[in-house]
Amino acid sequence: MKIAVLAGDGIGPEIIAQAIRVLDALKADGMSIELEHGLIGGCAVDATGEPYPEVTHQLVSNADAVLLGSVGGPQYDTLPRPQRPERGLLAIRKALNLFANLRPAILYPELANASSLKPEVVAGLDIMIVRELTGDIYFGEPRGIEQRDGQRVGFNTMIYSEAEISRIAHVAFQAAAKRNQKLCSVDKMNVLECTQLWRDVVIEVSKEYPQVTLSHMLVDNAAMQLVRDPKQFDVIVTGNMFGDILSDEASMLTGSIGMLPSASLDQNNKGLYEPIHGSAPDIAGKDIANPLATILSVAMMLRYTFDQEEAALRIETAVQKVLQQGLRTSDIAAPGEQAIGTQAMGDAVLSHL
Ligand code: IPM
Ligand code: MG
């Protein structure tokens, strides 16, 4: 298993360090794991002038999977757009054709009180957001800011081809078929033609999955339903921008964005695995960040790219035991509850592994 590790910026290096300890433990138990490190985001800009340098592209192209920390920081916000760290993330997704972004939102029973919603609304929550990741308004052309009639106008293009919609729909239907056979497709077809096509194509693809019950929801209603009654959902499939927004919202149902892993897959299950949270520059270097989302991203990597379900479960079980034991980083600690640091959380996961 050749894994490219891109720790990135902010809390990235600290949380990745804990995930690497988990990989080292599996390696010590006989798994054949090879790690190679590279730069992405702000640290890559500092070293090479580019957020996704060619050497990094070579490294990740030759790897089976990529483990990524996080990118970005306030010191980069004034750089020209092509040099911003976020561009590195978008570039690697596009370059590796990672069109299928899986973002599970699972509420661990021990964390029911960390959610901002009432425990009875979120208890037992287990939903999967399937977000299209290489199309939509994120990549559509034309785009820009220009002068028109004496004033600046900004514009972007929301665009999806039927091939792009159908391949992400297949991923979502297959995910739903393995879960509770319920798929909700989210669009804005009452206003946007692009998403009318989205709905039409999803309906066409649904004919191949008679066992899955398909429903449709407009994105504004979906945002509301996610906080009103999130347990009505099993799998949600949506475009790049709506998925960006809804997945942050869903993460909060689970108590902390610090708990949620993600997988971004290509057609062959080569994947990039990263926590869905950002680089959190305000807490970087303080040994307080929650490494669990990154550690759980390793579990997803073992499951989806390497087909090692047993090892994936071993990690997930270790995380669960740590939570049962009452150990919390500050983002998931209840008021007054003692919090432990990043390293100590890594220690605890290793001890249960
Ligand atoms: C995410 C992030 C990224 C996105 C940013 C950092 C470019 O918010 O992975 O959700 O918008 O996709
Ligand atoms: Mg986001």
Side-chain angles (χ1 to χ4, degrees):
M1 307 176 192
K2 227 169 154 184
I3 304 170
V5 180
L6 311 177
D9 311 317
I11 58 172
E14 304 163 57
I15 54 179
I16 285 286
Q18 301 312 315
I20 287 179
R21 293 174 71 197
V22 169
L23 284 167
D24 284 342
L26 297 177
K27 197 170 164 181
D29 281 353
M31 274 193 151
S32 159
I33 294 170
E34 201 184 303
L35 304 181
E36 279 185 273
H37 296 263
L39 298 175
I40 194 164
C43 60
V45 173
D46 291 338
T48 70
E50 289 169 60
Y52 182 58
E54 178 59 27
V55 281
T56 300
H57 180 62
Q58 290 306 328
L59 177 77
V60 299
S61 299
N62 293 323
D64 303 309
V66 182
L67 180 64
L68 192 144
S70 54
V71 301
Q75 69 271 46
Y76 306 111
D77 284 350
T78 51
L79 286 175
R81 224 155 250 285
Q83 282 171 30
R84 299 228 186 125
E86 292 76 12
R87 273 296 168 93
L89 198 52
L90 299 176
I92 192 174
R93 290 171 179 172
K94 195 71 176 174
L96 298 182
N97 202 15
L98 306 170
F99 68 92
N101 185 211
L102 311 184
R103 299 192 161 186
I106 294 171
L107 181 80
Y108 291 86
E110 296 79 12
L111 298 184
N113 288 318
S115 174
S116 45
L117 270 70
K118 295 191 194 89
E120 63 270 25
V121 174
V122 289
L125 181 80
D126 179 352
I127 60 186
M128 170 78 87
I129 297 187
V130 177
R131 168 188 176 196
E132 200 290 329
L133 203 59
T134 52
D136 202 353
I137 196 164
Y138 269 54
F139 294 94
E141 301 278 349
R143 61 192 298 155
I145 301 173
E146 63 183 37
Q147 287 287 339
R148 289 186 199 167
D149 302 326
Q151 66 167 342
R152 287 168 301 161
V153 296
F155 52 95
N156 288 87
T157 304
M158 180 179 240
I159 179 166
Y160 266 124
S161 69
E162 57 178 319
E164 287 175 306
I165 301 167
S166 123
R167 67 179 181 177
I168 191 69
H170 278 286
V171 170
F173 277 107
Q174 282 159 23
K178 285 195 201 145
R179 294 168 48 102
N180 296 321
Q181 284 89 37
K182 267 171 55 185
L183 178 62
C184 179
S185 171
V186 172
D187 60 43
K188 188 70 184 174
M189 62 78 96
N190 54 346
V191 181
L192 304 170
E193 287 81 357
C194 176
T195 72
Q196 174 68 59
L197 180 69
W198 176 280
R199 187 175 291 207
D200 295 346
V201 173
V202 170
I203 291 172
E204 285 156 28
V205 172
S206 73
K207 312 241 147 62
E208 293 177 48
Y209 301 91
Q211 74 276 39
V212 175
T213 307
L214 173 66
S215 61
H216 304 273
M217 210 178 264
L218 297 174
V219 63
D220 49 351
N221 186 27
M224 181 176 74
Q225 295 298 335
L226 266 176
V227 288
R228 193 187 73 85
D229 177 20
K231 284 189 278 180
Q232 69 184 283
F233 297 107
D234 177 21
V235 178
I236 293 175
V237 64
T238 190
N240 204 346
M241 183 163 66
F242 297 160
D244 178 45
I245 299 165
L246 294 180
S247 61
D248 267 30
E249 188 189 6
S251 76
M252 258 303 126
L253 306 173
T254 72
S256 172
I257 199 167
M259 292 297 299
L260 298 193
S262 77
S264 306
L265 305 174
D266 75 0
Q267 208 69 256
N268 307 312
N269 286 342
K270 175 169 177 165
L272 180 150
Y273 298 84
E274 56 176 326
I276 86 157
H277 60 69
S279 58
D282 51 322
I283 61 165
K286 296 185 179 160
D287 190 44
I288 54 176
N290 185 348
L292 293 179
T294 315
I295 290 172
L296 290 168
S297 297
V298 172
M300 286 191 93
M301 174 189 289
L302 290 163
R303 172 170 297 125
Y304 288 103
T305 292
F306 297 117
D307 216 3
Q308 300 274 350
E309 180 65 23
E310 205 178 308
L313 282 173
R314 208 178 136 192
I315 296 174
E316 288 163 353
T317 307
V319 168
Q320 211 158 347
K321 289 205 174 130
V322 165
L323 296 175
Q324 279 161 6
Q325 208 186 331
L327 297 173
R328 306 279 185 269
T329 41
S330 56
D331 56 312
I332 49 175
E337 209 168 30
Q338 170 90 27
I340 62 169
T342 310
Q343 281 265 1
M345 188 52 107
D347 294 343
V349 173
L350 281 178
S351 74
H352 286 291
L353 202 65

